[in-house]
Amino acid sequence: MKYFIIFGPPGAGKGTQAAPMAERYNLKHISTGELLREEIAAGTDLGMQAKALIDAGSLVPDVIVEGMLAKSFAKGKGYDGFLLDGFPRNLQQAQDLDAMLEARDESVTAVISLMIPDETIRQRISHRAALEGRADDASEATVTNRIKTYHAQTEPLIEYYKYEKKYHEVKSVGTIAQVGGRIKRIMDKLV
Ligand code: AMP
């Protein structure tokens, strides 16, 4: 199985680009944010625990997201691999993912990183708030904390994956199709 990660700050277009990528390369798309929103919508205990943290723009505990991830990995039948969207989000998660995959003689195939400047993040998120109605997009304070969390905890993963020679960066500006084309040029060489 191949294990791709789509990486980037909030609002970089990970979800938008992940859907066509998953389809094109027959990958199971796993969005940890989406899984958490499903838990919240279903009113589960896990969802209730996660909600306050998501609304604050903080990360949900590793053990929660990693449990959801393990369950999703078990549903990979018929796919050529997985496309992780929103995971890993800190160094511990990246190390845990490596350990999880190593235990079955597998490893992360590549990271596709979507890059946008900080000033574009807010614009994109406020546009998405109007379209999707996500509570964590609508609050300015939440968005500010998500950006902070990204820089403090998630951005260091760039060096982690550069060191592993798995890091590929794409400028996520222009149209959805233009960004998709840039991703395709990289992915076609990796699958
Ligand atoms: P996303 O849809 O990826 O923007 O995720 C929405 C929110 O869910 C994030 O701001 C976090 O609060 C939480 N979340 C999603 N993925 C993770 C993760 N890998 N680790 C911790 N929290 C996460």
Side-chain angles (χ1 to χ4, degrees), residues 148-167:
K148 231 193 251 170
T149 303
Y150 169 76
H151 286 304
Q153 299 194 51
T154 311
E155 202 170 34
L157 295 181
I158 294 176
E159 288 309 314
Y160 184 86
Y161 288 112
K162 272 187 182 168
Y163 182 77
E164 293 197 347
K165 304 213 174 345
K166 292 180 175 170
Y167 183 79

Side-chain angles (χ1 to χ4, degrees), residues 14-72:
K14 297 189 291 294
T16 305
Q17 295 295 342
M21 277 170 83
E23 199 174 56
R24 180 188 295 268
Y25 303 105
N26 192 35
L27 305 171
K28 181 172 170 57
H29 177 201
I30 304 176
S31 158
T32 44
E34 203 50 56
L35 291 172
L36 289 166
R37 285 187 285 280
E38 282 169 16
E39 295 282 342
I40 293 170
T44 64
D45 283 350
L46 191 156
M48 293 307 102
Q49 279 180 55
K51 189 177 180 339
L53 291 161
I54 293 175
D55 287 348
S58 304
L59 295 183
V60 171
D62 298 340
V63 60
I64 292 188
V65 276
E66 288 170 12
M68 295 190 324
L69 187 68
K71 272 195 204 151
S72 298

